[in-house]
Amino acid sequence: MLVAAAVCPCPPLLVPEVASGASAELDTLRAACADALAVVAAARPDLLVVVGAVATGESSHVWEGGGTGSLRPYGVNRAVRLGDGSDPEPLAPALVVAAALLDDTRLAAPLHGCAVPEDAPAGRMLELGRGLAELADRVALLVMGDGSNCRTLKAPGYLDDRAEAFDASVARALGAADTAALAELDAGLAGELQAAGRAPWQVLAGAGEQAGLGGALLYDEAPYGVGYFVSVWS
């Protein structure tokens, strides 16, 4: 059963070494992520599953026990390890960021990693989440995913007038642990708004359906024109 979950965004700039001179700009976001992970650690899960997205067209992958990755694509010569690092398949970028975040926690539970395509059907993600929740008596999720990439004129996806309302609906659902609202997110609209977190959030929705958890929204901002949310369910 799902006993706790943390939702964090996954920009590489979350890692201070990657952000370099701009590191302080995201200190509030990093602090919120740390607070969410502390709640997950306090739940003492038997298993932590880290869920993130890969690009449309890429294959899903599960890293049983964990895997390894690198920050070299972002200009930092640093290797990261998720869990025991036993899977030889390199970690997906979102999971690389997750591994870097987890380096600073005391979460000692066994770890799995799971990457799903951004355009994965909602029904499949809900079923995946339900299955993950049954993997152990006490399961926790760390869900990595960004909101719309189209919040401002300078955003990577340029401005889309629908982006703010979409992100607001996501923030409400994450803050209220509203699994039904997350399950109903429009995959097509999320794709048009370049909201890479939609599929991972729906994995969380499936996992949390019967858990009866409460939610809290710790961060909801759009630095760089991209929606970033941090929430915790417990």
Side-chain angles (χ1 to χ4, degrees):
M1 176 179 284
L2 186 73
V3 296
V7 177
C8 297
C10 52
L13 291 175
L14 260 183
V15 183
E17 301 98 304
V18 175
S20 188
S23 178
E25 295 178 4
L26 295 182
D27 279 350
T28 302
L29 174 56
R30 293 188 192 96
C33 291
D35 289 345
L37 289 172
V39 172
V40 169
R44 298 189 177 182
D46 300 322
L47 175 68
L48 174 67
V49 183
V50 182
V51 182
V54 291
T56 297
E58 294 188 29
S59 300
S60 300
H61 189 80
V62 175
W63 289 263
E64 287 195 31
T68 59
S70 175
L71 294 168
R72 286 179 181 171
Y74 314 114
V76 175
N77 188 19
R78 174 183 168 188
V80 297
R81 188 178 74 174
L82 189 68
D84 64 14
S86 57
D87 192 316
E89 178 71 17
L91 291 171
L95 272 61
V96 169
V97 176
L101 291 178
L102 288 167
D103 273 351
D104 298 324
T105 74
R106 297 182 178 180
L107 214 164
L111 290 169
H112 290 343
C114 179
V116 295
E118 291 178 11
D119 64 340
R124 189 179 303 168
M125 296 300 94
L126 295 170
E127 284 300 320
L128 174 59
R130 294 171 189 134
L132 293 177
E134 296 176 354
L135 290 177
D137 289 339
R138 298 181 62 81
V139 174
L141 295 186
L142 170 54
V143 180
M144 308 295 292
D146 298 345
S148 175
N149 217 3
C150 306
R151 290 282 296 272
T152 67
L153 290 172
K154 294 183 178 180
Y158 196 65
L159 175 66
D160 189 310
D161 291 336
R162 302 169 296 172
E164 186 171 353
F166 175 87
D167 278 357
S169 70
V170 172
R172 286 192 299 270
L174 292 176
D178 188 339
T179 58
L182 291 176
E184 292 170 0
L185 289 174
D186 187 321
L189 177 60
E192 292 172 10
L193 297 176
Q194 301 179 31
R198 189 274 310 170
W201 299 328
Q202 289 181 325
V203 174
L204 171 61
E209 281 177 344
Q210 305 300 321
L213 301 180
L217 187 67
L218 306 184
Y219 186 94
D220 173 17
E221 301 289 345
Y224 318 122
V226 182
Y228 294 154
F229 317 107
V230 179
S231 73
V232 61
W233 294 15
S234 62

